[in-house]
Amino acid sequence: MTSKKQFTHIAVGLAGAVLLSSAVAAQARELSVSTVLSDAFPWGQAAEKWAELVEERTDGELTLRVYPNAQLVSGDQTREFSAMRSGIIDLAVGSTINWSPQVPELNLFSLPFFLSDVSQVDAVTGGEAGELLFEAIEGKGVIPLAWGENGFRQLSNSSAAISAPDDLEGLKIRVVGSPLFQDTFTALGANPTQMSWADAKPALTTGAVDGQENPLSVFDVARIDQVGQEYLTLWNYMNDPLVFAANPQVWGSLSEEDQQMLRDTAIEAGAWEIAKTREEESARLDVIRERGVTVTELTEDQHQAFVEATLSVHEEWVPKIGEAVVEAARRDIGE
């Protein structure tokens, strides 16, 4: 038989457990993470990996909730940086392209044919230019933590194989909302058409646009070949590093220990995603070819023709990006 005294001890114990549980719950915190693509793509997987690492390191006391498809900015990916700066978004794994309207220095990676391979990308992100770019991001009100990778962007279209600038004459090409993209395709004789990714696939389906440019991972996972994109040109004309970053108020509200943990896990998730993206590139290309897509690989002379056709873009944009950043990048890649 249970005595009154035992009941009292049990009640006190239960009350204590409830209070402890409430205290733990009060300490637990969830932060939002914005991405443009879902975890079907390496980009979204980078955000999910970050969330996974944070939950492991904090035993669930801090969790990251990933919002893919630019949900937190109603699908308008170019608003992501401003939304994070203002506090609508806590954290993001964002594209340097999408953030370049607010941080002009990030257009460095979009200078046509400036970086030729991943070793040059790594030299820039890990070098003097990378430090200057992180300073520029922080100067615009966002805390950068680590690099990721969306990859080199390739060109596809529904009309014919493209191996020379003249082949682009008059083609309507979907581009992201960056003036540098508009200028690049205009210089090549195409008709660039700006639209969000959400609108791009329907436009390709109806023929409202003839082509698009994106990394192989996007072409593959989104099955761009199914909307008439039968021709793919590998030209590595620009790269799109990703940036893991935080809202400054959110960052300032974290302990130094949690700040370090968040930075460390971002670096780890970024390195994991970069390696994964590169390892999968060759297999993706094989799959794309197996689907019947005509893949054009440029010769050195063909590549040089595109370089020369876009020199005017460099002349216009290097001052906008900043001579110091561009020169630092040139030193980083050994030019």
Side-chain angles (χ1 to χ4, degrees):
M1 180 179 289
T2 306
S3 69
K4 184 176 181 182
K5 188 174 182 181
Q6 285 175 312
F7 271 126
T8 302
H9 282 307
I10 291 169
V12 169
L14 287 172
V18 169
L19 286 172
L20 180 62
S21 175
S22 299
V24 170
Q27 289 175 357
R29 185 176 180 187
E30 180 181 276
L31 300 178
S32 63
V33 183
S34 174
T35 69
V36 169
L37 295 179
S38 73
D39 61 3
F41 302 83
W43 184 344
Q45 290 162 12
E48 293 290 351
K49 182 68 171 180
W50 193 15
E52 175 188 315
L53 291 171
V54 168
E55 185 163 11
E56 285 176 4
R57 303 285 161 84
T58 66
D59 292 325
E61 288 184 14
L62 179 63
T63 58
L64 309 186
R65 182 177 178 184
V66 180
Y67 292 84
N69 305 314
Q71 289 177 48
L72 299 178
V73 284
S74 303
D76 185 354
Q77 58 214 59
T78 59
R79 285 179 49 223
E80 185 179 65
F81 188 88
S82 297
M84 182 165 45
R85 182 170 53 194
S86 66
I88 295 170
I89 292 170
D90 297 329
L91 308 169
V93 180
S95 156
T96 51
I97 293 170
N98 291 335
W99 293 3
S100 64
Q102 289 81 34
V103 188
E105 292 88 346
L106 293 178
N107 283 298
L108 173 73
F109 298 105
S110 298
L111 274 177
F113 307 102
F114 180 64
L115 301 172
S116 59
D117 55 36
V118 293
S119 66
Q120 292 192 350
V121 174
D122 291 345
V124 170
T125 57
E128 181 187 356
E131 292 178 7
L132 291 174
L133 292 170
F134 268 23
E135 287 174 12
I137 292 170
E138 190 159 356
K140 294 293 186 179
V142 165
I143 308 296
L145 304 175
W147 295 101
E149 182 163 277
N150 197 26
F152 277 102
R153 300 175 78 89
Q154 317 299 356
L155 176 68
S156 73
N157 82 101
S158 58
S159 300
I162 292 173
S163 59
D166 287 349
D167 296 334
L168 274 161
E169 189 68 39
L171 287 183
K172 287 181 283 187
I173 306 295
R174 175 265 171 181
V175 296
V176 297
S178 166
L180 178 46
F181 281 67
Q182 300 270 350
D183 291 350
T184 296
F185 280 94
T186 298
L188 292 169
N191 178 13
T193 305
Q194 187 273 322
M195 60 180 65
S196 70
W197 177 241
D199 296 331
K201 203 167 181 182
L204 291 166
T205 302
T206 61
V209 292
D210 303 304
Q212 60 87 51
E213 48 75 56
N214 254 308
L216 287 184
S217 61
V218 175
F219 188 97
D220 174 27
V221 177
R223 293 304 306 270
I224 303 299
D225 53 291
Q226 291 184 332
V227 289
Q229 299 295 285
E230 299 175 18
Y231 303 94
L232 178 67
T233 297
L234 304 181
W235 64 344
N236 282 16
Y237 87 118
M238 60 177 63
N239 194 271
D240 184 20
L242 304 176
V243 179
F244 293 68
N247 164 269
Q249 285 75 38
V250 167
W251 184 254
S253 72
L254 298 170
S255 67
E256 287 188 16
E257 183 181 6
D258 280 347
Q259 287 179 354
Q260 190 60 52
M261 178 276 302
L262 206 58
R263 190 186 300 276
D264 289 345
T265 51
I267 291 170
E268 188 175 334
W272 172 86
E273 185 263 343
I274 289 169
K276 187 175 190 291
T277 299
R278 293 176 184 178
E279 286 166 6
E280 293 173 347
E281 194 90 338
S282 179
R284 287 193 190 283
L285 190 55
D286 289 343
V287 167
I288 289 167
R289 282 194 168 105
E290 287 167 8
R291 291 176 185 157
V293 176
T294 300
V295 177
T296 300
E297 298 189 55
L298 301 180
T299 65
E300 192 173 325
D301 287 344
Q302 288 171 334
H303 179 269
Q304 187 58 31
F306 282 102
V307 171
E308 292 172 4
T310 53
L311 287 176
S312 62
V313 180
H314 284 241
E315 292 171 6
E316 181 180 349
W317 276 88
V318 166
K320 296 178 181 179
I321 294 166
E323 298 278 356
V325 172
V326 176
E327 286 305 314
R330 288 189 173 125
R331 288 192 294 273
D332 289 337
I333 62 179
E335 280 192 2

